[in-house]
Amino acid sequence: MPSEIEGVSPLVDRLMRLIEGSHCVAGEESAVELALEEALSNAVIHGNRMDRHKLVQVLCRCQLRKGICVVVKDQGQGFDPSAVPDPTAPENIGAECGRGIWLMKSVMDEVSFERGGAEVRMRKVPTRQAGTVCESPAK
């Protein structure tokens, strides 16, 4: 997708329809949606600096009972994830940066930054199997 913030929501909506239809993260769709939106926004704003000539690439692999792997790549210079301040630290509560990364790490099972920070890889496993019915506890 081109690096335009207006393109993030429509792409997320389209991907989420596919992800929901795959049932690969049954019960965890909202977590994937939040992480995807944050990763795409970061790629457009911080990675590609909203340069319409630069693209953001999304790769998504869903596997039933194994979950989902999502990769978001930008054409920017990257960044050092360890240099991003912790947004939950008292001195950073009002800071603008770091919240998206913190959110991604909070809702996904695995998050890593590759290619010098120009690529984020995220993984989520389902919390329950599709079609599983909760049973009453034994009395």
Side-chain angles (χ1 to χ4, degrees), residues 41-114:
S41 296
N42 281 351
V44 168
I45 296 168
H46 302 294
N48 289 344
R49 305 226 184 263
M50 298 187 42
D51 180 342
R52 303 173 121 188
H53 298 98
K54 291 184 178 181
L55 299 175
V56 175
Q57 195 173 33
V58 181
L59 306 167
C60 182
R61 182 175 183 187
C62 296
Q63 292 181 286
L64 198 58
R65 292 183 291 280
K66 290 188 178 181
I68 188 170
C69 292
V70 179
V71 179
V72 176
K73 300 178 184 181
D74 63 54
Q75 295 180 306
Q77 297 299 310
F79 74 107
D80 178 3
S82 65
V84 176
D86 176 3
T88 63
E91 65 273 12
N92 298 327
I93 294 297
E96 292 292 321
C97 62
R99 295 193 193 291
I101 294 171
W102 181 84
L103 281 169
M104 287 185 276
K105 288 181 175 182
S106 295
V107 300
M108 298 298 278
D109 295 314
E110 295 174 22
V111 176
S112 65
F113 296 93
E114 309 296 329

